[in-house]
Amino acid sequence: MPVMNVIQAVNDALRLELRRDQRVVVLGEDVGAFGGVFRATAGLQQEFGAARVVDTPLAEGGIIGAAAGMALYGLRPVAEIQFADFIFPAFDQIVNEVAKFRYRSGGQYPCPLTIRAPYGGGIKGGHYHSQSPEALFLHTPGLKVVVPSGPYDAKGLLLSAIRDPDPVLFFEPKRVYRAAKGEVPEGEYLIPLGQAAVTRPGTQVTLIAWGAMWHEADQAAREAEAEGIDCELLDLRSLQPLDIETITASVRKTGRAVVVHEAPRTCGFGAELAALIQERCFLSLEAPVARVTGFDTPFPYTLESEYLPRAPRILQAIRATVTY
Amino acid sequence: MPVMNVIQAVNDALRLELRRDQRVVVLGEDVGAFGGVFRATAGLQQEFGAARVVDTPLAEGGIIGAAAGMALYGLRPVAEIQFADFIFPAFDQIVNEVAKFRYRSGGQYPCPLTIRAPYGGGIKGGHYHSQSPEALFLHTPGLKVVVPSGPYDAKGLLLSAIRDPDPVLFFEPKRVYRAAKGEVPEGEYLIPLGQAAVTRPGTQVTLIAWGAMWHEADQAAREAEAEGIDCELLDLRSLQPLDIETITASVRKTGRAVVVHEAPRTCGFGAELAALIQERCFLSLEAPVARVTGFDTPFPYTLESEYLPRAPRILQAIRATVTY
Amino acid sequence: MKRERAAKAPVRADHGTAREWAAGRFLEEFPLYRVVDEEGRLVGGAQLELPGSELLGLYRWMLLGRSLDERMITLQRQGRIGFYIGAIGEEATVFGTVAALEPQDWIFPSYREHGAAFMRGLPLVTFMANLFGNAGDLVKGRQMPCHESWAPGHFVSISSPVATQVTQAVGAAWAARIQGDDMVPIAFFGDGSTSAHDFHTGLNFAAVMKLPVVFACRNNGWAISTPSASQTVSETMAQKAIGYGMRGERVDGNDLIAVWAATRRARQRAAAGQGPTLLELVTYRMEGHSTSDDPRAYRPAEVVEPWKRKDPIKRVQKLLEARGLLDEAGDAVLREEVRLEIQAALREAEAFPPKPPVESLFEDVYAEPGWAQREQLAELRRAMDADPRVANPRHVEG
Amino acid sequence: MKRERAAKAPVRADHGTAREWAAGRFLEEFPLYRVVDEEGRLVGGAQLELPGSELLGLYRWMLLGRSLDERMITLQRQGRIGFYIGAIGEEATVFGTVAALEPQDWIFPSYREHGAAFMRGLPLVTFMANLFGNAGDLVKGRQMPCHESWAPGHFVSISSPVATQVTQAVGAAWAARIQGDDMVPIAFFGDGSTSAHDFHTGLNFAAVMKLPVVFACRNNGWAISTPSASQTVSETMAQKAIGYGMRGERVDGNDLIAVWAATRRARQRAAAGQGPTLLELVTYRMEGHSTSDDPRAYRPAEVVEPWKRKDPIKRVQKLLEARGLLDEAGDAVLREEVRLEIQAALREAEAFPPKPPVESLFEDVYAEPGWAQREQLAELRRAMDADPRVANPRHVEG
Ligand SMILES: Cc1ncc(C[n+]2csc(CCOP(=O)(O)OP(=O)(O)O)c2C)c(N)n1
Ligand SMILES: Cc1ncc(C[n+]2csc(CCOP(=O)(O)OP(=O)(O)O)c2C)c(N)n1
Ligand SMILES: [Mg+2]
Ligand SMILES: [Mg+2]
């Protein structure tokens, strides 16, 4: 099986889907001949032509509005937002239009499109090349939100996202774009949206993470093991639909949970997970659900190591939760 | 003391502040001669002229971008977004610019502005005249978020918001715009941001609400009392800064909490409150923090009574929480 | 590449090279295109290219639109529906455009183009069920009145945020070209909406991609309380096309035939690969913005007067009469037909159960409801069973 | 009211009323304004209105800008800074504009106008501390390199999202007018940024309100990998002014004197209450978009060649030489001065502690930190005390 990094896996998924389904169109800034600033669309315009792999003008609202129109008409557009930080000019189209089309038309106008965006910190990008805005979209019914942590998931989840009947935000953790490598099958395989992966079974505490933070949580779990703490680690993979069963089953078993995300703490998805867990596992809980997150500040530049919830801070939270 | 409704109280606050401070400017769609679609700015252009009370072109991004420029230059703009549902074209300016100006400039460029928007459901407005997007802004460090529930608070909080050194979103619950009436002192008084009001002291369960939902929670508390359940009711008034001390003191006392909001449940501010409470009051909690909220659907039209978390549903949650 | 041309362009050294255009320049450059004058006479050497029967059909549509708007405004005043927004005085911009399109062309409406949906087969009764938001509403009572969808007629779901449909129409045009379909979408929007950002990005994308799409700006003089001069100081909306390297045209929006002919031209150009057109349809909002609005607060009655004489329906009536296609009696018959049609539809629409079923609240959020929707439906049902007030709008007002 | 005029405007009945403009029409209508040709000679009858000493000063600024950009790109390649974005080849658009403004005029930069900050007094060493994001950075190491702020010189905080500064500049102009201040802000942005929505709303607001503001579009031919033809099919950027009823002017952006004179004119008009101006400064991005970019992937080297001959610095050098204000020896002295200045600043900047203090992470979110910031600072300190790896960037990569 070929070994790929996340960018290659994304590229592979796009290529397969462009080949398989004439309705698939890729559009965004610099995605054409250049292949995208992270090269995720490299070679696609060369293979599929400038009509299906399109450089757009610099206007995210235009990209998503146009993609919405394509989706309404029956295509399967895959729009790239160059950095998740630049998705906000398209926010109205996403939350007021794309998310509500099926509902507001009584089911007459589904709007299935995929919005890919490199996301998260850890590449020294400062305020505007580091943000993790998933919670903003999770608060909007009608949208699905997917975040892979490695190449295998990236490919299988992206194929599912493109084929999904609903609009999907597909956030790619750019910190591990090249760093996360692994075996990726050739040809197509689908990872269903809404299934978390239990990447490490354990008994004492449930760790919940996604994207780049899964790697940190995994390292923390390994370090915890060395200290004799047995962690169960979930990689959520898809935040909406959320695999609530796997989460509650795990926490009912362990009685403790630590949630990790990069976004600021307040109103991050960790809050929702904590709320859900205490609602559903109240009698099993032996400690509060802990949140290890980015801080309530804009994303910094120089102090990004301090800002990011990495393994050492996660480990500390694990210890505190287990000894609560 | 004069009796006013919420619109009159808002109008009064704007008028006082326009008189007191030459730096205050009111801008937005239809706010001029017409006085705004809800009449909140009625008479202001007549008194202060078209230079300080300005009808803008129809572009929320332009309104907030321009208001930001005014604030940077030293004015105190108060921008009206005609309905909170239409704030999204300005989302980029708010979360990427206004919220981060002070931080990203190392304190050189504060950006104090107030964004007023009628908000929430209950007026048969359907998808696009009913939304409660507070959680989206609460996830953005740098912004403050205020929601009054009645005329007295509306005036005192709005005056504080306009004078605050930071950008403030001031969401006005339009469902009670005219319905909520009360005595409002003439002249100025300030209600500090960040102080919840304990509008009903109680011992058995803490109810937490804001805006129009405070009225529903209040009614539920009265009905609960008739059933012998003693509720403590907090009107948060300001969600950021949040009065965490009042909340934790109350829940440590009652051991139970019910949070009410109109916005969809997932990733609403109720999630954050539940997360905070279980983090800080874990050992006092005798039942999970309950959330009575709008459902995870777009805001409906005909079934809005069913959708809104009104007193009967709150009462049921109170009972379930108390008997958990 | 553009750069090369730029390098060869003329070069001047005097100060103030950019033309200081005189007032009125763009009014001249974009003259108001008109075929029929206010007395129903053909202007200049114009030919009537629309067959008489079609013209009569369109006249009937305009009567229906007007009559429906009037009736529904009354209905709102009676408290039987919550809201209404129509197109009184702007009928030519709605029916003239759509008549010039092909049936497969998608319509991306603003919120006044209900007539377009009717022409595409939306039954009146279904439209009215939307106004009631009752069990007969195809949109399942989810949106405010006047936010209908009609997929069978390629009439796209209406939303309230203005101008969002502009970029969406561009996307549909793009999709059709990719698919090789002869489909030219039209996007409707108002003068106020030209200030919105989707106007800009939509027109620019369409021009850059040379997409087959028609932009129909209903310049009705007002955005709620503000006149178009508060939205833009360009003399015309048509000249905005220049900034996008696009064709623009200014049309008498109260002249059905001119609107029809201009739209047909724009469609032909689009279908022939010549790109998009911005049509400025100059008309007037004769009534309040909607039933929530009272224009007396900001608009002196006098300014409306001149426009009464330009009524688009009267103009067609005169044209038909002059051509012997209609007489007073025939007109009365048509009006009575339309009245009865509306009356019958209203009766039928009001007969639906007042609410869609409660489970409909949780459908269509996603193709399949997720666990949150399923659990919340169960939660709501339990709540309703326990306390009937949950479903009663009136128990806690005030 | 606009409506009245519209009603009186000429009316035509022939088909195709809108002018089918010929290719090149707008290149003619917006000729490239130029004062000095590529050989440093005054064009036509142009006068040099800039005193020789000022010209020499600007020449030195341009040398500094170029030299700094080159040095910092090297620094990035050496791994000593993480990122750099400069203005090689575009110097005339930066220094020519700012020289024509008054000291009180606010500058709303895009991300290439560092030179404007220097002219307003930002010390080189402070700029470089921003590149390092170290303890000497006024922005406290919070943004990527090249995102400086300099309030003492009214140089506004840079952000990455493009075009957002356009509406902000409009707001500042508006504020100044309300305050009665003689202050004309300038907003810089690229050709790609004309596609963004803030361009549209900013220009429209400014035109409608007739605000004193100058819009400086650095048309450098590229938005990262896409040529301007992918952004717009309008022949010029200047003609976009027409859609806003605004004055537009196309200027040779590699001609320092033309840029200066056009900006001065625009400022005079603004200050005199005649409203905003859109200046299209036609120049070229000679290097990659930034140090993160390698233009060889999308831009053949040949297309850059013609632009090398138009180098804005060489042109001023020739002009100065022709006027006897500079000779080879004098030029060498200037260049050496600039080199030493940069070198000294670099040494000084690198001497700051590499990180701002950890508490700075939580400052300036609000005027006063909230409890969340205070608690989180304490939490972070505890974490750092317990495990030094918390502050170490390298422990978990991969
Ligand atoms: C984004 C957005 N902002 C504000 C509104 C409120 N609003 C509804 S209609 C309207 C005026 C629209 O004017 P115009 O585009 O000229 O259309 P017209 O009503 O005249 O047909 C406004 C401001 C809205 N619907 N959407
Ligand atoms: C809203 C937004 N979208 C995307 C980007 C990524 N990006 C950075 S610079 C750039 C190109 C800008 O081109 P132009 O406006 O011509 O400026 P130039 O770099 O040529 O000076 C893009 C797409 C961004 N910074 N902001
Ligand atoms: Mg209008
Ligand atoms: Mg450029």
Side-chain angles (χ1 to χ4, degrees):
Chain A
M1 236 190 291
V3 170
M4 291 186 189
N5 64 26
V6 175
I7 297 174
Q8 290 162 334
V10 165
N11 187 272
D12 193 34
L14 292 172
R15 188 183 308 272
L16 284 175
E17 212 51 12
L18 279 158
R19 275 194 199 143
R20 190 189 70 87
D21 186 347
Q22 285 300 316
R23 299 171 308 165
V24 173
V25 175
V26 168
L27 69 163
E29 295 158 12
D30 302 292
V31 301
F34 184 48
V37 295
F38 287 103
R39 330 287 307 122
T41 57
L44 299 181
Q45 190 180 71
Q46 287 78 354
E47 181 171 345
F48 302 99
R52 291 182 66 207
V53 182
V54 199
D55 277 329
T56 65
L58 204 179
E60 289 76 12
I63 294 171
I64 302 303
M70 290 179 172
L72 296 174
Y73 192 74
L75 298 194
R76 292 297 185 135
V78 184
E80 176 175 304
I81 299 292
Q82 201 161 79
F83 286 83
D85 312 70
F86 303 141
I87 204 166
F88 302 124
F91 203 71
D92 188 50
Q93 280 287 344
I94 298 172
V95 307
N96 258 348
E97 299 288 321
V98 168
K100 296 179 173 54
F101 252 114
R102 182 190 291 276
Y103 195 79
R104 81 183 197 208
S105 66
Q108 293 180 66
Y109 284 103
C111 190
L113 58 84
T114 304
I115 302 174
R116 290 181 42 245
Y119 131 115
I123 61 151
K124 281 279 197 177
H127 287 8
Y128 295 115
H129 297 80
S130 305
Q131 293 174 71
S132 297
E134 68 268 37
L136 304 178
F137 299 100
L138 289 161
H139 188 45
T140 305
L143 300 176
K144 294 181 174 172
V145 178
V146 174
V147 190
S149 62
Y152 178 84
D153 284 356
K155 180 171 169 182
L157 290 167
L158 183 52
L159 288 172
S160 292
I162 299 173
R163 298 184 193 179
D164 198 88
D166 295 309
V168 181
L169 286 127
F170 192 85
F171 289 120
E172 300 166 5
K174 59 182 173 298
R175 183 185 179 201
V176 297
Y177 251 167
R178 294 198 168 78
K181 292 202 189 83
E183 293 200 329
V184 174
E186 286 185 77
E188 85 172 49
Y189 60 96
L190 299 173
I191 300 177
L193 306 189
Q195 292 187 6
V198 184
T199 65
R200 160 189 285 263
T203 56
Q204 284 179 275
V205 54
T206 302
L207 297 188
I208 305 178
W210 54 92
M213 289 303 104
W214 173 84
H215 298 270
E216 297 291 344
D218 186 53
Q219 164 147 345
R222 277 187 269 121
E223 294 184 18
E225 187 177 31
E227 296 182 12
I229 306 174
D230 184 23
C231 301
E232 176 147 305
L233 173 57
L234 310 188
D235 181 352
L236 289 186
R237 303 200 290 198
S238 130
L239 311 187
Q240 172 60 253
L242 179 69
D243 189 348
I244 188 71
E245 274 157 40
T246 299
I247 294 170
T248 49
S250 177
V251 180
R252 285 202 187 111
K253 178 177 70 178
T254 62
R256 301 169 198 267
V258 174
V259 180
V260 186
H261 63 68
E262 282 184 50
R265 185 167 306 162
T266 298
C267 281
F269 192 52
E272 180 60 37
L273 289 169
L276 286 170
I277 289 169
Q278 63 92 35
E279 273 162 16
R280 285 154 201 261
C281 312
F282 188 75
L283 297 176
S284 319
L285 274 183
E286 315 216 33
V289 180
R291 294 186 282 172
V292 189
T293 66
F295 297 116
D296 285 324
T297 77
F299 201 99
Y301 177 71
T302 307
L303 298 176
E304 93 170 343
S305 317
E306 286 81 348
Y307 183 87
L308 282 173
R310 297 181 307 153
R313 281 214 279 136
I314 300 169
L315 181 63
Q316 293 171 12
I318 292 170
R319 287 191 200 119
T321 299
V322 169
T323 58
Y324 187 83
Chain B
M1 234 189 292
V3 169
M4 292 187 189
N5 64 27
V6 175
I7 295 174
Q8 290 161 333
V10 165
N11 188 272
D12 194 33
L14 292 172
R15 187 182 310 271
L16 284 176
E17 212 52 14
L18 279 158
R19 275 195 200 140
R20 192 189 67 87
D21 186 347
Q22 286 300 317
R23 298 171 308 164
V24 174
V25 175
V26 168
L27 69 164
E29 295 158 13
D30 302 291
V31 300
F34 183 48
V37 296
F38 287 102
R39 330 288 306 122
T41 56
L44 300 181
Q45 191 179 70
Q46 288 76 355
E47 181 172 346
F48 302 99
R52 290 183 65 207
V53 181
V54 199
D55 277 330
T56 65
L58 204 179
E60 289 75 12
I63 294 170
I64 302 303
M70 289 178 173
L72 296 175
Y73 192 72
L75 297 194
R76 292 295 185 137
V78 184
E80 176 177 303
I81 298 293
Q82 201 161 78
F83 286 85
D85 312 71
F86 303 142
I87 204 167
F88 303 124
F91 203 71
D92 188 49
Q93 280 287 344
I94 299 172
V95 308
N96 258 348
E97 298 288 320
V98 168
K100 296 179 174 58
F101 252 114
R102 182 191 290 276
Y103 195 79
R104 82 184 195 206
S105 65
Q108 294 181 65
Y109 284 103
C111 191
L113 57 86
T114 305
I115 303 174
R116 290 182 42 247
Y119 131 116
I123 61 151
K124 281 281 197 178
H127 287 7
Y128 294 115
H129 297 80
S130 305
Q131 293 174 68
S132 297
E134 68 269 36
L136 303 179
F137 300 100
L138 289 161
H139 188 46
T140 304
L143 301 176
K144 293 181 175 173
V145 178
V146 174
V147 190
S149 62
Y152 178 84
D153 284 356
K155 179 171 167 182
L157 290 167
L158 182 53
L159 288 172
S160 293
I162 298 173
R163 298 186 194 177
D164 198 88
D166 294 309
V168 181
L169 286 127
F170 191 85
F171 289 120
E172 300 166 6
K174 57 183 176 294
R175 183 186 180 201
V176 297
Y177 250 166
R178 292 196 171 79
K181 292 201 189 80
E183 293 200 328
V184 174
E186 288 186 74
E188 85 171 50
Y189 60 94
L190 300 173
I191 299 177
L193 307 189
Q195 292 187 6
V198 183
T199 65
R200 163 188 284 264
T203 55
Q204 284 179 275
V205 54
T206 302
L207 298 188
I208 304 177
W210 55 93
M213 289 303 104
W214 174 83
H215 298 269
E216 298 290 345
D218 186 52
Q219 163 146 346
R222 277 187 269 121
E223 295 184 17
E225 186 177 33
E227 297 183 12
I229 305 174
D230 184 22
C231 301
E232 176 147 306
L233 173 56
L234 311 188
D235 181 353
L236 288 187
R237 303 200 290 197
S238 130
L239 311 186
Q240 172 61 254
L242 179 70
D243 188 349
I244 188 72
E245 273 157 39
T246 299
I247 294 169
T248 49
S250 176
V251 180
R252 285 203 186 112
K253 176 177 69 178
T254 62
R256 299 169 200 265
V258 174
V259 181
V260 187
H261 63 70
E262 283 185 48
R265 184 167 309 163
T266 297
C267 281
F269 192 52
E272 179 60 36
L273 289 169
L276 285 171
I277 290 171
Q278 63 92 35
E279 274 163 16
R280 283 152 203 262
C281 312
F282 189 75
L283 297 176
S284 318
L285 275 183
E286 315 215 32
V289 181
R291 293 186 283 172
V292 189
T293 66
F295 297 117
D296 285 323
T297 77
F299 200 100
Y301 177 72
T302 307
L303 298 176
E304 93 172 340
S305 317
E306 287 81 348
Y307 183 88
L308 281 174
R310 296 183 307 152
R313 281 215 276 134
I314 300 170
L315 181 63
Q316 293 171 12
I318 291 171
R319 289 191 199 118
T321 299
V322 169
T323 58
Y324 187 83
Chain C
M1 217 184 60
K2 175 163 163 294
R3 183 86 20 242
E4 299 316 310
R5 281 196 314 218
K8 282 189 222 112
V11 160
R12 302 166 31 173
D14 56 328
H15 289 186
T17 57
R19 180 152 173 184
E20 303 282 348
W21 42 78
R25 173 184 162 188
F26 286 102
L27 292 173
E28 271 172 48
E29 192 158 314
F30 293 91
L32 198 69
Y33 171 63
R34 183 182 278 184
V35 178
V36 177
D37 73 11
E38 284 152 36
E39 299 313 314
R41 291 174 306 231
L42 291 175
V43 176
Q47 294 285 318
L48 189 63
E49 294 178 54
L50 200 67
S53 59
E54 256 189 69
L55 188 60
L56 201 58
L58 284 173
Y59 177 66
R60 191 183 189 282
W61 277 123
M62 289 170 89
L63 288 180
L64 179 100
R66 174 74 56 94
S67 181
L68 176 74
D69 284 354
E70 288 169 349
R71 186 78 190 83
M72 296 301 105
I73 290 171
T74 309
L75 215 65
Q76 193 277 337
R77 295 216 176 105
Q78 294 167 342
R80 285 156 74 192
I81 57 175
F83 173 84
Y84 191 77
I85 188 161
I88 291 180
E90 306 179 43
E91 290 87 353
T93 67
V94 176
F95 297 104
T97 45
V98 176
L101 300 176
E102 298 297 323
Q104 69 273 23
D105 295 340
W106 282 40
I107 295 167
F108 286 81
S110 155
Y111 39 68
R112 300 194 191 278
E113 297 82 8
H114 315 302
F118 305 146
M119 285 184 78
R120 288 296 181 76
L122 173 68
L124 263 188
V125 54
T126 310
F127 173 70
M128 289 178 188
N130 174 263
L131 303 183
F132 292 112
N134 64 22
D137 179 13
L138 285 182
V139 174
K140 306 188 189 175
R142 289 170 183 160
Q143 289 217 67
M144 281 175 73
C146 295
H147 286 68
E148 69 274 14
S149 290
W150 181 242
H154 306 311
F155 181 93
V156 175
S157 162
I158 297 178
S159 75
S160 309
V162 304
T164 49
Q165 68 278 13
V166 178
T167 46
Q168 293 160 9
V170 168
W174 202 336
R177 188 171 67 191
I178 289 172
Q179 303 276 66
D181 295 351
D182 171 30
M183 194 290 282
V184 179
I186 189 167
F188 287 98
F189 51 90
D191 46 313
S193 305
T194 63
S195 301
H197 68 86
D198 281 294
F199 169 81
H200 177 63
T201 49
L203 267 72
N204 192 44
F205 271 56
V208 168
M209 303 289 162
K210 224 177 181 189
L211 294 173
V213 52
V214 179
F215 299 108
C217 175
R218 277 188 297 86
N219 183 352
N220 66 5
W222 294 89
I224 309 186
S225 75
T226 56
S228 353
S230 301
Q231 298 296 335
T232 184
V233 289
S234 73
E235 294 185 308
T236 70
M237 296 297 179
Q239 80 200 57
K240 291 182 185 289
I242 293 174
Y244 304 103
M246 183 191 296
R247 192 171 188 279
E249 191 167 345
R250 197 155 137 273
V251 180
D252 183 340
N254 281 12
D255 177 352
L256 180 79
I257 312 296
V259 171
W260 175 82
T263 308
R264 209 180 48 158
R265 266 197 309 272
R267 194 203 184 277
Q268 278 163 355
R269 294 185 74 252
Q274 294 173 283
T277 302
L278 170 61
L279 296 178
E280 175 184 0
L281 309 174
V282 180
T283 179
Y284 204 74
R285 202 194 75 204
M286 300 297 289
E287 298 291 324
H289 171 73
S290 71
T291 53
S292 309
D293 179 44
D294 179 357
R296 285 171 303 185
Y298 53 80
R299 185 170 82 173
E302 310 90 74
V303 305
V304 184
E305 277 312 311
W307 287 92
K308 292 200 177 145
R309 290 192 296 277
K310 297 185 207 284
D311 188 303
I313 300 188
K314 278 198 211 128
R315 211 186 290 193
V316 181
Q317 186 184 353
K318 286 181 187 159
L319 176 68
L320 285 166
E321 285 173 0
R323 310 223 131 203
L325 293 161
L326 188 73
D327 58 14
E328 226 172 284
D331 191 48
V333 169
L334 280 184
R335 286 173 193 263
E336 180 62 7
E337 267 179 36
V338 156
R339 197 183 63 78
L340 293 173
E341 196 178 327
I342 292 170
Q343 201 176 356
L346 186 53
R347 207 169 307 122
E348 205 184 323
E350 265 184 309
F352 285 109
K355 285 187 180 186
V358 68
E359 60 270 21
S360 75
L361 187 53
F362 299 92
E363 292 163 0
D364 301 323
V365 181
Y366 299 100
E368 296 296 330
W371 57 261
Q373 286 77 31
R374 289 194 307 269
E375 285 187 11
Q376 290 171 13
L377 170 58
E379 184 184 323
L380 175 57
R381 279 200 201 285
R382 276 195 307 274
M384 289 168 68
D385 289 348
D387 189 338
R389 297 181 307 165
V390 167
N392 179 352
R394 255 178 305 276
H395 90 283
V396 278
E397 301 288 283
Chain D
M1 216 184 63
K2 174 162 164 293
R3 181 87 20 244
E4 298 316 309
R5 280 197 313 220
K8 284 190 224 109
V11 160
R12 302 163 33 169
D14 56 328
H15 288 186
T17 58
R19 179 152 173 185
E20 303 281 352
W21 43 77
R25 173 185 161 188
F26 286 101
L27 292 174
E28 271 171 48
E29 194 159 310
F30 292 91
L32 198 69
Y33 171 61
R34 183 181 278 182
V35 178
V36 177
D37 73 11
E38 284 154 37
E39 299 313 315
R41 291 174 306 232
L42 291 175
V43 177
Q47 294 286 317
L48 190 63
E49 293 178 54
L50 202 67
S53 61
E54 257 189 67
L55 189 60
L56 202 57
L58 284 174
Y59 178 66
R60 190 181 190 283
W61 278 123
M62 290 170 87
L63 288 180
L64 180 99
R66 175 73 56 93
S67 180
L68 177 74
D69 283 356
E70 287 169 349
R71 186 78 190 81
M72 296 302 106
I73 290 171
T74 309
L75 215 64
Q76 194 277 339
R77 296 216 175 105
Q78 293 167 343
R80 284 157 73 192
I81 58 175
F83 174 83
Y84 191 77
I85 187 162
I88 291 180
E90 305 180 44
E91 290 87 354
T93 67
V94 177
F95 296 104
T97 47
V98 176
L101 301 176
E102 298 298 323
Q104 70 272 25
D105 295 340
W106 282 40
I107 295 167
F108 286 80
S110 155
Y111 39 65
R112 299 193 192 278
E113 297 82 7
H114 315 304
F118 304 146
M119 284 184 79
R120 288 295 181 79
L122 174 69
L124 263 187
V125 55
T126 310
F127 173 71
M128 289 179 188
N130 174 263
L131 303 182
F132 292 112
N134 64 23
D137 179 12
L138 285 183
V139 176
K140 306 187 189 177
R142 289 170 183 160
Q143 289 218 67
M144 281 175 71
C146 294
H147 286 67
E148 69 274 15
S149 289
W150 180 242
H154 306 310
F155 181 93
V156 175
S157 162
I158 298 178
S159 75
S160 309
V162 304
T164 50
Q165 69 278 14
V166 178
T167 48
Q168 294 160 7
V170 168
W174 201 336
R177 188 171 65 190
I178 290 172
Q179 304 276 67
D181 295 350
D182 170 31
M183 193 290 282
V184 179
I186 190 167
F188 286 99
F189 50 89
D191 46 312
S193 304
T194 63
S195 301
H197 70 84
D198 281 293
F199 169 81
H200 177 62
T201 50
L203 266 72
N204 192 44
F205 271 55
V208 168
M209 304 289 162
K210 223 176 180 189
L211 294 173
V213 51
V214 179
F215 299 109
C217 175
R218 278 188 296 87
N219 183 352
N220 66 6
W222 294 88
I224 308 186
S225 76
T226 56
S228 350
S230 302
Q231 298 296 336
T232 184
V233 289
S234 73
E235 294 184 310
T236 70
M237 296 298 177
Q239 80 199 58
K240 291 180 185 291
I242 293 174
Y244 304 103
M246 184 191 294
R247 190 170 191 279
E249 190 167 344
R250 199 156 135 271
V251 180
D252 183 339
N254 282 11
D255 176 352
L256 180 79
I257 312 295
V259 171
W260 175 81
T263 308
R264 208 179 49 157
R265 267 198 307 273
R267 194 204 184 276
Q268 278 163 355
R269 293 185 76 252
Q274 293 173 284
T277 303
L278 170 61
L279 296 178
E280 175 183 358
L281 309 174
V282 180
T283 179
Y284 205 75
R285 201 194 76 204
M286 301 297 290
E287 297 292 323
H289 171 73
S290 71
T291 52
S292 308
D293 179 45
D294 179 357
R296 284 171 303 185
Y298 53 80
R299 185 170 82 174
E302 309 89 74
V303 305
V304 185
E305 276 312 313
W307 287 92
K308 292 200 178 146
R309 289 191 297 276
K310 296 184 208 287
D311 188 303
I313 300 188
K314 275 197 210 128
R315 213 186 289 192
V316 181
Q317 185 183 354
K318 285 181 189 160
L319 176 69
L320 285 167
E321 284 173 1
R323 310 221 131 207
L325 293 161
L326 188 75
D327 57 15
E328 225 172 287
D331 191 50
V333 170
L334 279 184
R335 287 173 193 263
E336 180 62 6
E337 267 178 35
V338 157
R339 197 184 64 78
L340 292 174
E341 195 177 328
I342 292 170
Q343 201 176 357
L346 186 55
R347 207 170 305 123
E348 206 183 325
E350 265 184 310
F352 286 107
K355 285 187 181 186
V358 68
E359 60 271 21
S360 75
L361 187 52
F362 299 92
E363 290 162 3
D364 302 322
V365 180
Y366 299 101
E368 296 296 329
W371 58 261
Q373 285 76 33
R374 289 194 307 269
E375 285 188 11
Q376 290 171 14
L377 170 59
E379 184 184 322
L380 175 57
R381 280 201 201 284
R382 276 195 306 275
M384 288 169 71
D385 288 347
D387 190 337
R389 296 180 309 166
V390 167
N392 178 353
R394 256 177 304 277
H395 90 283
V396 278
E397 302 288 283

